[in-house]
Amino acid sequence: MVEWCLPQDIDLEGVEFKSMASGSHKIQSDFIYFRKGPFFGLACFANMPVESELERGARMKSVGILSPSYTLLYRYMHFLENQVRHQLEMPGHYSHLAAFYEDKKGVLHAGPGRGSSLPPVYWLPSIHRYMSQFIKFFGEQILILWKFALLRKRILIFSPPPVGVVCYRVYCCCCLANVSLPGIGGTIPESKPFFYVNVADIESLEVEVSYVACTTEKIFEEKRELYDVYVDNQNVKTHHDHLQPLLKINSADREKYRRLNEQRQMLLYSQEVEEDYNPCEEDLFVLFFLEQNNRIFQTLLEVSASQDKTLTAEHARGMGLDPQGDRSFLLDLLEAYGIDVMLVIDNPCCP
């Protein structure tokens, strides 16, 4: 139940399920990013044992905030963590929360239009720790997620609680699909982080054509009409036959992953050697995929503006793609972005 809120006239239907992930009773604390209509939310959850039959031996609460943009929410994480502990130990005392709202409402209140802007490079001081974990966790499969994210597929990540770290995986997936070339992306939905979703979100997910989200509810796996790509732990899968070829790692993927790790090692080395030199891993990660994406679309735009509009194997290699292994991906990309070129990469016959 929603115990207390400000302002009192805001529609918070279902927010109690978003701010307490299903299965949270098994853990002591967590944090959760989520969406509520045009807003983004951050909630901190805590679970405290109590000697009370009425509360069945445990008191569980979440304290959260809503904002038109998720990029500033991290600033209030520490406050929310302290407040949820305070609410567990002294239930019903809301003066700190009311004061916080009065102080911040000008910062947080804005029209719904800006909520889904592309993720900026900086949004969390410690995000590079999660970027590093994201790369280690998925390994070469990052390149599979990259292709699905660039195609704006509906990506659902399943994981049992705690869900906080999985919310960062959602953000990292969205970072894979950034493109900064003018004229690209106008015909395609933007890469939208939905963060944590549960069964109460099924109706809203049914009408989405593109999203990246995470859930702790296994029942979603059976609801195939809601997603294109399902990620269970490190297992990336799709039930669509035409997307199956994209699950295979090819030589160009391995080369990209090798280059990404090489750049990460150079970054770590330069951080050790030059104390003043302090770019973070997130910058490197975002820029690596941004440059890769720009190179692909720059080539596709140049070919589409040429007289014969012919995309060859040489073009594919120049874009950092495998002419054979990425043929299906290229065809999907051309269709998704409405780029008018003719692919003349032969599809070899299988013996």
Side-chain angles (χ1 to χ4, degrees):
M1 58 175 280
V2 177
E3 180 183 321
W4 181 90
C5 71
L6 273 181
Q8 291 176 346
D9 58 353
I10 192 167
D11 171 23
L12 292 178
E13 186 185 352
V15 82
E16 64 272 31
F17 299 108
K18 292 172 182 286
S19 54
M20 275 190 188
S22 179
S24 290
H25 59 281
K26 297 175 184 172
I27 58 173
Q28 294 304 306
S29 63
D30 200 3
F31 63 93
I32 306 158
Y33 282 88
F34 58 91
R35 277 181 73 136
K36 170 62 181 156
F39 298 105
F40 290 90
L42 169 63
C44 287
F45 165 83
N47 180 354
M48 183 176 80
V50 289
E51 291 182 15
S52 161
E53 278 189 33
L54 184 66
E55 294 178 273
R56 292 186 289 181
R59 183 177 297 157
M60 291 174 273
K61 290 181 187 280
S62 273
V63 176
I65 50 176
L66 290 173
S67 164
S69 166
Y70 59 85
T71 57
L72 298 178
L73 289 173
Y74 75 88
R75 294 182 181 179
Y76 311 113
M77 178 98 72
H78 189 58
F79 171 79
L80 294 174
E81 286 172 340
N82 285 338
Q83 284 306 302
V84 73
R85 185 56 52 190
H86 177 72
Q87 288 300 319
L88 287 174
E89 291 165 0
M90 298 178 65
H93 290 73
Y94 308 120
S95 57
H96 291 310
L97 294 174
F100 174 87
Y101 174 73
E102 288 305 319
D103 183 43
K104 304 295 183 190
K105 63 182 177 183
V107 178
L108 298 180
H109 183 74
R114 301 204 321 269
S116 56
S117 57
L118 277 175
V121 175
Y122 301 101
W123 83 297
L124 190 69
S126 64
I127 186 70
H128 60 275
R129 181 161 61 90
Y130 293 100
M131 284 284 180
S132 183
Q133 198 243 32
F134 179 74
I135 296 167
K136 286 174 188 165
F137 186 77
F138 285 111
E140 290 180 344
Q141 291 195 100
I142 283 179
L143 280 310
I144 295 173
L145 292 171
W146 163 65
K147 291 173 194 179
F148 286 131
L150 206 55
L151 291 171
R152 298 296 193 265
K153 296 303 177 188
R154 298 169 300 167
I155 302 170
L156 185 61
I157 304 171
F158 167 79
S159 176
V163 80
V165 66
V166 195
C167 288
Y168 284 128
R169 285 178 202 153
V170 169
Y171 169 73
C172 292
C173 272
C174 289
C175 286
L176 298 171
N178 288 347
V179 181
S180 63
L181 292 179
I184 288 293
T187 58
I188 195 163
E190 57 195 327
S191 183
K192 286 198 287 194
F194 267 56
F195 299 111
Y196 177 73
V197 294
N198 61 20
V199 289
D201 295 299
I202 286 175
E203 273 188 33
S204 61
L205 289 177
E206 280 173 341
V207 298
E208 290 294 333
V209 293
S210 171
Y211 69 79
V212 186
C214 60
T215 189
T216 57
E217 300 188 24
K218 196 74 174 165
I219 192 167
F220 270 96
E221 188 172 9
E222 299 164 20
K223 299 189 176 298
R224 292 179 162 195
E225 70 281 3
L226 296 179
Y227 61 84
D228 302 308
V229 180
Y230 187 82
V231 184
D232 184 347
N233 206 10
Q234 286 139 313
N235 184 16
V236 183
K237 51 192 176 181
T238 177
H239 53 276
H240 295 301
D241 290 341
H242 73 284
L243 294 178
Q244 294 298 329
L246 275 67
L247 295 175
K248 293 178 186 153
I249 300 281
N250 60 49
S251 57
D253 295 329
R254 290 192 182 94
E255 173 59 20
K256 279 192 280 289
Y257 187 67
R258 186 195 64 75
R259 279 196 301 114
L260 176 62
N261 274 321
E262 194 175 71
Q263 289 183 25
R264 289 174 65 218
Q265 291 306 317
M266 286 169 65
L267 175 72
L268 291 172
Y269 175 73
S270 54
Q271 284 173 336
E272 286 172 13
V273 174
E274 303 174 46
E275 289 179 14
D276 298 338
Y277 185 72
N278 196 29
C280 72
E281 194 159 15
E282 185 198 5
D283 296 1
L284 185 151
F285 181 88
V286 171
L287 199 59
F288 180 89
F289 285 99
L290 180 67
E291 287 176 348
Q292 176 65 50
N293 298 343
N294 284 353
R295 180 155 51 126
I296 288 174
F297 286 110
Q298 186 67 50
T299 304
L300 294 179
L301 290 177
E302 285 170 5
V303 172
S304 71
S306 69
Q307 207 163 359
D308 63 357
K309 298 183 185 297
T310 303
L311 191 72
T312 64
E314 202 53 47
H315 285 124
R317 279 189 282 270
M319 293 187 282
L321 299 175
D322 183 318
Q324 300 300 343
D326 283 320
R327 189 174 188 279
S328 176
F329 169 58
L330 264 172
L331 286 168
D332 287 343
L333 203 63
L334 296 174
E335 185 183 350
Y337 287 82
I339 298 172
D340 180 24
V341 306
M342 188 170 65
L343 199 60
V344 292
I345 300 167
D346 293 332
N347 197 5
C349 295
C350 299

